Amino acid sequence: MENLLQIVIYFPLFAVIAVLLARKEEWIKWIALTATSITFFLSLPLIFNFDISQSHIPQYLTEGPSILSGFDVKYLIGLDGLSLLLFMLTTLFGPIVVLSSWTSIKKHLKGYYSMLLLLQTASLGVFASLDLVVFYVFFELSLIPMYFLIGIWGSTDRIQATVKFFIYTMVGSLIMLVALLYLGFYAGGIHPEFSFVSDWRYIAGPEVQIGLVEQTWMFLAFALAFCIKVPLFPFHTWLPYAHTEAPTAGSVVLAAIMLKVGTYGLLRFTMPVFPNAFMEFAPWLAVLAVIGIIYGALVAMVQKDVKRLVAYSSVSHLGFVVLGIFAFNTVAVQGAIIQMINHGLSTGALFLIVGMIYDRRHTRLIKDFGGIATVVPVFAVMFMIATLSSIGLPGLNGFIGEFLILNGTFFSELYDNAAFAVIGALGVILAAVYMLWMYQRVMFGPIKHEENKTLKDLNLREVGLLLPLVLFMVWIGIRSEDFTRYSEVWVEHYIEETKDKSVAVLQNTRGEDLPDWTARIYELDSEGLSDTEWVYKD
Amino acid sequence: MDLSTALVCLIIGLPLAGFFINGVLGLISSSYRENKPLIGTIANVAVFAPFLIALYLFFNHSADASAVVVTLFTWIDVGTLTVDIAYRIDQLSLLMVLVVTGVGAFIHLYSIGYMGHDPGYWKFFAYLNLFIFAMLNLVMGNNLLLLFLGWEGVGLCSYLLIGFWYKDMAKSDAAKKAFIYNRVGDFAFLIGMFMVFQTVGSLDFDVILGNLEAFSSEYLFWIGLLFFIGATGKSAQIPLFVWLPDAMAGPTSVSALIHAATMVTSGIYLITRLSEMYVLSPEVMLIVSVIGGLTAIVAATIALTQNDIKRVLAYSTVSQLGYMFLALGAGGFTAAMFHVVTHAFFKACLFLGSGSVIHTMEHVGEKLKKEGKEVDFDPQDIRFMGGLRKSMPSTYKTFLIATIAIAGIPPLAGFFSKDEILMHAFSAGLGEYAGSLYMILWGVGIATAFLTAFYMFRLTFSTFHGKFKLPEKVKEASGAESHLHESPVSMTLPLWVLAVASVIGGFMGIPNFVVETFTGQTANINLLHPWLDTIAADYPIVMGKAVEWLLMGLAVAIAAGAVWIAWKMYGEGRVEESDAVVTAKTGVFYKVWQEKYNFDEFYEALVVRPVVRFSDRVLAVFDMKVVDGFVNAVGGTVRLFGSLIRYVQSGVISSYALYLVIGVILVMAMMLS
């Protein structure tokens, strides 16, 4: 099984060689499709053989030797309850994005499909790597193909968009790199053998208890990098540019997978590693998340370009995810995890759909459409389902995530304020407003433009690539338990451990000479203990 | 699988299957779309069969039997939150299932004729089946979340069906409006569920109602209020009722099914379901009554001034729903459910009758156009109607029966249910808590009863009595009366079924005291009270028989008086002349009513426009100029530094040597100081 995991991750990479060697242009997309499909089918045993009762322990582990002597930096790959579903989502989207590019990409096919395949390997690697350095390598590796996808195959303002996307993400990840190195050495200071440790299992484990000062700085560095990636308000402005200018496949991968790296990173790295900082800053991040929910929705409402609208809706939706993560209870965190998948499905589908209509009309402006529901009935149905999933209609997937997040937020002890859930829930109303308004202006009313009267409805390829997404929207919507069970143990285990660790850290700081600001942030009294009493009660 | 599981699966599953068959096949196959008999048959079977099953379950369920819960599978299982897809068969859900599938079935039958010429026939029936499925989830769900699934599901179907003729932007506007106003209510519903879950750790009705002592009085108030706000959205009460009149943009059978008989009564169902919780918070009960009473009279006054046959009925629905909430808040849960049932009969009958009329009027318009006459008239405007009773006898008779029923004339259905509501309001008025307020509400109820009888007979007389006014008003339309015709049997049969139900439907709820007075013995003729006894936490009625008779007599007198006045004014179908008289008599009020109290304009000016403008002109600009501007400024500063430093990095070795020397001197200076 561990070999299978390796094969799944690197299969697309090897397919790049085949793409580069392909002698005929038509072969290229078939190679890409075959490779991503095989990757998907090969990944299925990973979910069937996954031990749900042990989901907090990484499975299918591959552990290489340490690269440097004295440094515990090693190739460490495996899947646990947090990463499994995101990993599967990535393999699912592989063939879908290849199919979505089938006819719309006409130039530099070799380069294009190599980049898609490379991106696939990089994204899979991000979710499977359990060594911080390896994670960082994959994290950065995924930027490069995306950079070229937007920069070469994007629309008119692609250069500006790609530069902004690249530099913005880069700034965050460089700051994270500094923190990551510091963290490695800090953990090395605790470890009996090595002077530098980047094994996530060790760092997230109970031994590595980081002092409040160091926790704060490292938390902020990691959180900044991930919040840019999410993106959380106010770090979101690269997103509308990147999404609007990217080719369809780029937008889809960006929305469905790459944005999840941010929220995934928040859960994997900031929660169990910096427990005290995580808890103390939670309400502040929740404030940003709630602002993002409302702000993203309001700005989405007045967009004139469908793609930008969907991009801003992502800001709103991912605000929910961040809100759920920092609510720090099983219900909300589980909601956040399933909502990552949901957002991938629904926003991925929306970008695919926008791409399909763009291929036909070469415009994304709402005013260029209107009344096309009669002309393209199948398209209308698919678009409606994706819209309903996005606005959280019960029975479809989006509702499950939003309901769990808001419900958990409502009784979150960290927030201790119903306002977060109440204001967040306003986003549910606004989602209906901006999505249905957009849908109406695009699909309903009389046909205003002559060109729209002859639009072709979806062909089999397009229906086929949307159907799996629809299937999962419904499946998660009515049997969410089939999906949430993979992360249940992980979430419960790490919430408990984070709580315990935060108590231990506070007890260690007793009598330590801390700077004044820590006393304010962590509300320490003269004895060095906090008032976060809820931690002690079970 | 035991029998009840199988039957529940069939009840729920058949409408869903109908939706999928007609929806998917219709979408992909054009020959299937043409096969209208098959489509209609599938859709009708998918509702009639559940109706028959529900009847079977009804006759096999005694009044004191406990609820049968059928759990299908786990929906959500996260941490402490577990929610099953589980259905509940008990007295209340059975009553609602019978109404939904029964009235629903005949409306499906009616739609075969009514929608027969529509190219979206398959889609219409698919949506209608989906609606039945969602509505059954709403009334049979064993927990709040499954109820909510149905709750939003019916909202979706309502959206799809209001906007069924989406090429008309106004119609799709109405659809969107309905969905969004409902979402506002749903927002409150969601928060209410969070509070429930926080308190009892479950959303199952049994757990909630079994642990009422766990709720603080503050929570009882808020939860009750939040669910009620949810209900004001779905059941069209002040302040969220404005979507319902616009919802008449949908096909008329939709108005009958969704916007009169079933969906809009969901709020009443919800509160009855949670009645044991509601009675613990008298403040919320009072709020429910006040909002209900206010809505009843506000909508009734608006109905008085409308000329669109469907809009009159729409406002009448809002008003009657207000009546039901008035009853709920006065502790008359059974009375409210009683009115839900009778109202489903007569209002569905009225809507279908109006559909029959509109159908004919449209037909007249088409015929005239074929004759080459340039006619342009609104087929729903009663000012062009009149005298239709001669050409449409079945429609006329059934419409008249339903009108008598809604007006509260004994012994038709509406009389008994309305009387019981008024009785409860009066009884609450005698109570200790806010007695005078309830007494005022009783007065409002009486006034509304008067208005109801008046505007309903105005509508009936203007439509069916007097002379056909289209040829008079539109010159080109001469000879139009020859095109008037009665609707086909598939449409008149449901009308007759519902008319009969409107006549006899009230007998299930005859007050016991009526029989007791005559026989002198304790009677048990009322069927509804014992049936809902275990669920509805009714306040007892504290009045002597004499008072009850007196109130009943008063109600009848008021209604009869209103009918008499309406007959005098509109009996000859002179709608405009008599409206002028009403306008003159009521003066400035009439204008307010005619303008519907300007609720829409108020929301538009206070919420919609400011939010859109703020988002467009402030937030979107802020996002680009300030948030992104800051990012660009940071980038720009870095680039500026970079370009300055670039001069330093000239690549000329001699200048590097110079920097080296300067550096050494600086270090030396620092060390020496």
Side-chain angles (χ1 to χ4, degrees), chain A residues 164 236 295 312 440 445 477 480, chain B residues 75 79 166 172-173 183 623 628:
Chain A
K164 183 164 244 162
H236 64 276
Y295 180 91
Y312 276 105
Q440 179 195 23
S480 69
Chain B
W75 182 13
Y166 54 75
S172 72
D173 272 337
R183 265 271 157 131
D623 198 58
D628 197 40

Side-chain angles (χ1 to χ4, degrees), chain A residues 89 172 343 521:
Chain A
L89 183 75
H343 177 263
I521 290 181

Side-chain angles (χ1 to χ4, degrees), chain B residues 478-644:
Chain B
S478 57
E481 56 274 19
S482 62
H483 300 304
L484 290 171
H485 66 88
E486 181 59 288
S487 297
V489 182
S490 70
M491 285 166 73
T492 50
L493 175 70
L495 287 177
W496 278 111
V497 171
L498 290 166
V500 170
S502 309
V503 174
I504 59 172
F507 292 106
M508 73 174 96
I510 295 184
N512 286 332
F513 76 88
V514 173
V515 182
E516 281 164 14
T517 316
F518 292 119
T519 59
Q521 289 165 337
T522 15
N524 214 353
I525 187 160
N526 187 311
L527 300 173
L528 209 56
H529 274 275
W531 179 252
L532 290 178
D533 192 42
T534 50
I535 293 160
D538 286 346
Y539 289 172
I541 291 201
V542 285
M543 280 180 287
K545 280 195 192 105
V547 184
E548 296 202 36
W549 275 109
L550 205 65
L551 290 178
M552 199 182 242
L554 182 65
V556 174
I558 293 276
V563 175
W564 188 76
I565 297 173
W567 168 252
K568 279 281 157 205
M569 293 177 76
Y570 296 94
E572 298 296 314
R574 289 190 307 268
V575 54
E576 278 165 292
E577 298 86 330
S578 305
D579 275 354
V581 176
V582 179
T583 314
K585 288 247 164 80
T586 49
V588 65
F589 290 110
Y590 196 85
K591 198 159 173 51
V592 175
W593 299 340
Q594 205 167 20
E595 288 175 2
K596 303 154 194 163
Y597 297 80
N598 287 326
F599 272 98
D600 273 315
E601 291 75 8
F602 180 73
Y603 293 142
E604 183 75 17
L606 203 77
V607 184
V608 180
R609 240 175 292 142
V611 170
V612 174
R613 273 202 198 151
F614 174 73
S615 305
D616 194 27
R617 299 196 189 153
V618 181
L619 278 189
V621 177
F622 173 81
D623 198 58
M624 284 293 105
K625 301 280 182 232
V626 181
V627 184
D628 197 40
F630 179 73
V631 175
N632 289 338
V634 171
T637 318
V638 172
R639 203 186 305 173
L640 185 70
F641 272 107
S643 58
L644 288 180

Side-chain angles (χ1 to χ4, degrees), chain B residues 265-325:
Chain B
T265 61
S266 312
I268 292 110
Y269 165 78
L270 173 70
I271 291 179
T272 309
R273 175 61 77 197
L274 297 174
S275 60
E276 287 171 50
M277 177 185 256
Y278 270 85
V279 291
L280 296 178
S281 179
E283 298 89 352
V284 174
M285 293 288 279
L286 182 63
I287 292 173
V288 171
S289 255
V290 168
I291 294 289
L294 209 58
T295 309
I297 191 144
V298 162
T301 50
I302 299 174
L304 208 59
T305 63
Q306 301 297 307
N307 290 320
D308 180 316
I309 185 168
K310 281 182 76 180
R311 276 192 174 256
V312 176
L313 293 176
Y315 281 107
S316 159
T317 305
V318 174
S319 172
Q320 295 300 307
L321 291 166
Y323 241 94
M324 298 174 207
F325 281 101

Side-chain angles (χ1 to χ4, degrees), chain A residues 146 150 165 238-239 242-243 249-259:
Chain A
M146 188 52 84
I150 303 176
F165 160 70
W238 62 269
L239 187 75
H243 266 322
S251 297
V252 173
V253 176
L254 196 59
I257 292 146
M258 288 183 76
L259 303 187

